Amino acid sequence: MFENVWLIPLFPLIGFLINGFFGKKIKNEAVIGGIGTLMIFLSFLVSCGVLMQLIGLPAEQRVFEKVVFPWIHCGNFKADMAFLIDPLSAVMIMVVTGVGSLIHLYSIGYMHGEEGFYRFFAYLNLFCMSMLLLVLGSNMLVMFIGWEGVGLCSYLLIGYYFEKKSAGDAAKKAFVMNRVGDFGFLIGLFTLYWWFGSNHNIWTINFVEIKAASHLLPYGGVVTIATLCFFLGATGKSAQLPLYTWLPDAMEGPTPVSALIHAATMVTAGVYMIGRMSFVFIKSPETMMVVAVVGACTAIFAATIGTAQNDIKRVLAYSTVSQLGFMFLAMGVGAFGAGIFHLMTHAFFKACLFLGSGSVIHAMHHALHHGHLHDDAQDMRNMGGLKKYMPITFLTFLVSTIAIAGIPGFSGFFSKDEILWQAFANPYHGGLNIVLWGIGCIAAMFTAFYMFRLVFMTFFGECRINPKVKDHLHESPLVITIPLMVLGFLAVVGGYIGMPKLMGMLPNYFEHWLDPVFELANEYGKEYAHVGHHTHALEWGLMGLSVVIAVIGITIAFTMYMANNKLPEKFTSTFPALHRAVYNKWYMDELYDFLFVNPCKGFGNLLWKGFDVVVVDGIVNGVGKIFMGLSAGIRGLQTGYTHNYALGMTLGAVVIVALYIFR
């Protein structure tokens, strides 16, 4: 059983090797794209088989570890290349391979004509392979290999257009900021490994073994240090405050890259890591508090920035940062299942939104190219009225927007409402719960506002593109619209497997599915938290309030961008300083430049001019000048004339004879 799980990361690795080494010679885009898409789709089929096998087992038997090959064995320490199959990893591999397959298919049409077509698909396959290693790893070392792999691939794909300075800078920014987080991950790993080994002679980094021994962990203390370090790694990988600024800049990569990073792979890694190690995190109330507060603050902070951006992809980028904040809020209040549930539903509607934005950009580029115009194809101020020209893109984008806004009946409603309810009702943080819930509600209202602002500016009203190229606007080809339709369908129905029990007779299947993974964490949580009891009436009331809040956000967007489109200009003229601050992302990049980037550059210049030039170059050049001086003196003896050498020999002989006579 589960003997073929190793094929899941192997297939995309094969695709990477084929396209990476032979793609330039193959040249045929259909073959290159077909290989890349087929490999990840085969992983999806194997993942489906693994999921079916897992479903057929009793809950207590849904844990299986497959050793692919022995790796590091040293004394009591053992770390094999091994994969862990349980309900959590099953959800993740389905998301990565399922959504990843659709993004690969979409990329065949979107990247048509690109000079580096083969390179792009090689990187996509490597990205998915790395993420699959991360979520399947049965120990922290295998997870860390995948963790670093997605960091490398983000650098390669964000900087895909490496001839552009902005793309190269964005790639370096992502790579460097993630190194900061990765340092935290390693410190957390070493701390946990050292504590178990030195105190209980348990030298392991295996998740199953750590979970079995987690009852030995104390509350707080060293666990707080380790979990805060792990959380630092998560803030880097999942773009939370303060290490979030790389993610909006990642929009420099092609749109399918944005969809893959934001929906199926890299940014979900931090959420997954906390879920995988929930039995450790729950033993540190301080860390749980930090996770919840950072998640809530990130959710509302990024949401405010999204309200003033005009680049269609940047609006979605800040939306991702905000939604990740909701996931971390869930993790911080002990609602691990709700966090993973929102991770899954977010993958559906956010992938659809990014791919939909790519479809719009594709159409805008095509039209502007025909008119030999150089307007920004990603600026929503150049769009408008596109629903008439792109009905499929519009419909799928609309349902995904409704889903992320949290409207009942759509997937985002079920997962986001569950997070807000858990933030309010969880027994872990006392009076802070109301504050966390309130921040989450305000962030949800901002989400509804800026997402419908995007829809109204892009698809409704008058088309603002140059009139002479309007006729060249058209719907994208099927290879682009088919993934949109599949993801749009999932954005509608994907939340029903996690429907709250109070909404019907059906149980919450998703919650029960993950119970074996988070059961131990829930038990530990009860040891230090007073479990409160809340009525269904209160839950219904808060659910209704969250819907009202979303409707308020949509109404404000409709009023400002449909009913009276002069209001945005009036608002910015009334509050110019506030608008500038939000438009400039609260000047966080400038602040980081002032605090970190420029001082580091200054220190580097000081080392270069003060130490390298003066000391190192001084020593090297000084030694050279000494020998040049010596050689200048000796050089006079080498004239090249025979009679000079004969005279020298004669004088030398005379000196020797004289010394011999007068010794």
Side-chain angles (χ1 to χ4, degrees):
M1 185 178 294
F2 306 118
E3 291 300 317
N4 295 326
V5 67
W6 57 278
L7 292 173
I8 296 174
L10 178 65
F11 282 128
L13 176 61
I14 293 172
F16 161 71
L17 294 174
I18 294 174
N19 281 329
F21 285 103
F22 307 109
K24 196 170 184 177
K25 296 181 179 179
I26 295 174
K27 295 182 180 179
N28 188 300
E29 288 187 357
V31 175
I32 293 170
I35 291 171
T37 305
L38 176 63
M39 290 299 107
I40 191 66
F41 183 69
L42 289 174
S43 291
F44 173 68
L45 293 180
V46 177
S47 299
C48 290
V50 168
L51 178 65
M52 291 299 103
Q53 291 182 50
L54 212 59
I55 290 174
L57 293 174
E60 64 275 7
Q61 296 180 20
R62 290 174 181 163
V63 179
F64 179 81
E65 189 174 5
K66 168 65 178 176
V67 177
V68 181
F69 57 82
W71 190 12
I72 302 174
H73 291 191
C74 182
N76 294 331
F77 176 74
K78 181 174 71 172
D80 294 324
M81 177 57 68
F83 298 144
L84 177 64
I85 294 295
D86 67 355
L88 178 57
S89 61
V91 170
M92 295 302 297
I93 61 176
M94 291 296 292
V95 170
V96 174
T97 59
V99 177
S101 296
L102 295 171
I103 294 172
H104 276 70
L105 178 62
Y106 174 99
S107 300
I108 296 175
Y110 189 85
M111 298 300 291
H112 170 65
E114 289 284 347
E115 184 178 353
F117 191 87
Y118 76 95
R119 176 167 53 90
F120 181 81
F121 273 88
Y123 291 165
L124 280 191
N125 275 170
L126 184 63
F127 206 159
C128 289
M129 187 276 291
S130 299
M131 188 65 187
L132 290 168
L133 272 184
L134 191 157
V135 299
L136 283 172
S138 71
N139 59 67
M140 289 188 227
L141 188 55
V142 177
M143 173 187 273
F144 190 69
I145 293 172
W147 190 273
E148 290 297 287
V150 294
L152 168 65
C153 293
S154 69
Y155 170 80
L156 296 172
L157 285 167
I158 294 168
Y160 174 77
Y161 297 115
F162 55 82
E163 68 279 0
K164 288 173 55 182
K165 184 179 185 303
S166 57
D169 289 344
K172 287 183 285 187
K173 187 175 184 179
F175 193 78
V176 170
M177 293 196 79
N178 273 277
R179 297 292 72 72
V180 176
D182 296 350
F183 175 75
F185 184 104
L186 284 175
I187 297 300
L189 186 158
F190 294 146
T191 301
L192 203 61
Y193 173 74
W194 162 81
W195 189 89
F196 270 118
S198 60
N199 287 278
H200 300 283
N201 200 33
I202 302 175
W203 302 97
T204 183
I205 55 174
N206 182 280
F207 291 120
V208 174
E209 293 174 359
I210 294 175
K211 185 175 183 179
S214 61
H215 64 281
L216 301 172
L217 288 169
Y219 283 97
V222 70
V223 178
T224 298
I225 296 173
T227 50
L228 284 175
C229 289
F230 280 122
F231 180 57
L232 176 61
T235 60
K237 202 64 70 182
S238 294
Q240 297 294 284
L241 288 170
L243 301 179
Y244 77 95
T245 57
W246 68 268
L247 190 57
D249 288 359
M251 299 304 98
E252 290 290 340
T255 302
V257 173
S258 304
L260 196 62
I261 291 177
H262 289 245
T265 56
M266 183 169 170
V267 296
T268 62
V271 181
Y272 168 78
M273 183 264 287
I274 293 180
R276 173 57 68 199
M277 302 187 67
S278 58
F279 47 85
V280 178
F281 274 81
I282 202 69
K283 287 215 160 187
S284 174
E286 297 82 5
T287 299
M288 294 290 285
M289 178 80 77
V290 170
V291 173
V293 171
V294 170
C297 291
T298 303
I300 193 168
F301 181 80
T304 60
I305 298 175
T307 61
Q309 302 305 304
N310 295 314
D311 185 303
I312 188 171
K313 287 175 64 177
R314 282 192 176 267
V315 175
L316 296 176
Y318 283 105
S319 168
T320 298
V321 177
S322 181
Q323 296 305 305
L324 287 165
F326 276 99
M327 297 176 208
F328 279 98
L329 172 60
M331 295 295 178
V333 299
F336 300 105
I340 299 299
F341 184 32
H342 195 56
L343 183 156
M344 183 189 74
T345 60
H346 177 263
F348 300 150
F349 55 70
K350 185 51 64 67
C352 188
L353 289 168
F354 263 112
L355 298 186
S357 72
S359 179
V360 169
I361 295 167
H362 182 268
M364 291 287 291
H365 268 302
H366 176 78
L368 293 171
H369 175 74
H370 274 277
H372 304 287
L373 301 174
H374 301 286
D375 298 341
D376 189 349
Q378 297 182 195
D379 194 325
M380 297 184 296
R381 293 170 295 186
N382 296 329
M383 301 175 189
L386 295 185
K387 67 173 184 176
K388 179 173 68 174
Y389 304 98
M390 311 180 70
I392 297 176
T393 299
F394 163 68
L395 184 60
T396 55
F397 203 99
L398 179 63
V399 298
S400 297
T401 301
I402 295 172
I404 195 175
I407 300 301
F410 293 78
S411 61
F413 165 75
F414 298 109
S415 56
K416 188 182 291 185
D417 184 75
E418 182 69 14
I419 291 174
L420 291 175
W421 165 247
Q422 294 286 354
F424 181 89
N426 84 88
Y428 303 125
H429 303 312
L432 187 63
N433 290 353
I434 305 298
V435 178
L436 295 173
W437 172 81
I439 293 174
C441 287
I442 297 172
M445 184 182 69
F446 276 120
T447 300
F449 168 76
Y450 67 68
M451 286 305 304
F452 272 89
R453 169 182 178 265
L454 186 158
V455 169
F456 294 144
M457 289 183 68
T458 304
F459 295 101
F460 287 85
E462 292 294 324
C463 185
R464 295 179 293 277
I465 196 172
N466 193 303
K468 68 179 183 180
V469 300
K470 280 186 180 180
D471 293 339
H472 293 287
L473 289 169
H474 59 77
E475 184 60 272
S476 299
L478 282 175
V479 71
I480 288 178
T481 56
I482 287 175
L484 290 178
M485 289 186 281
V486 175
L487 289 167
F489 174 75
L490 292 173
V492 177
V493 306
Y496 283 92
I497 61 172
M499 188 169 60
K501 288 178 283 190
L502 82 163
M503 295 192 67
M505 301 302 295
L506 295 175
N508 188 327
Y509 288 111
F510 196 84
E511 180 182 309
H512 287 309
W513 173 253
L514 293 176
D515 271 345
V517 180
F518 301 130
E519 185 176 16
L520 193 57
N522 294 336
E523 288 298 319
Y524 287 158
K526 292 175 184 177
E527 294 181 22
Y528 74 85
H530 172 69
V531 180
H533 298 283
H534 300 280
T535 64
H536 285 319
L538 177 60
E539 188 172 354
W540 274 108
L542 292 179
M543 184 184 297
L545 182 58
S546 71
V547 175
V548 170
I549 288 170
V551 172
I552 290 173
I554 297 170
T555 303
I556 296 173
F558 179 83
T559 303
M560 295 182 68
Y561 294 93
M562 292 291 292
N564 186 354
N565 55 19
K566 299 294 183 182
L567 285 177
E569 184 178 346
K570 185 177 180 180
F571 179 86
T572 56
S573 61
T574 306
F575 305 101
L578 176 62
H579 176 261
R580 279 197 304 272
V582 177
Y583 179 76
N584 288 294
K585 301 158 284 186
W586 298 110
Y587 300 105
M588 290 300 293
D589 283 310
E590 290 79 2
L591 178 63
Y592 285 4
D593 285 344
F594 176 75
L595 292 177
F596 304 110
V597 178
N598 293 334
C600 286
K601 287 181 178 179
F603 183 64
N605 287 331
L606 178 64
L607 287 179
W608 167 50
K609 294 180 179 179
F611 183 76
D612 190 54
V613 173
V614 175
V615 179
V616 177
D617 288 356
I619 292 173
V620 174
N621 293 334
V623 171
K625 288 178 181 178
I626 290 172
F627 281 96
M628 286 177 67
L630 292 174
S631 65
I634 298 173
R635 189 164 59 242
L637 301 176
Q638 302 294 325
T639 64
Y641 294 112
T642 304
H643 59 271
N644 287 347
Y645 298 147
L647 177 62
M649 293 172 62
T650 302
L651 291 175
V654 170
V655 170
I656 292 172
V657 171
L659 290 174
Y660 178 77
I661 293 173
F662 299 106
R663 71 172 184 264

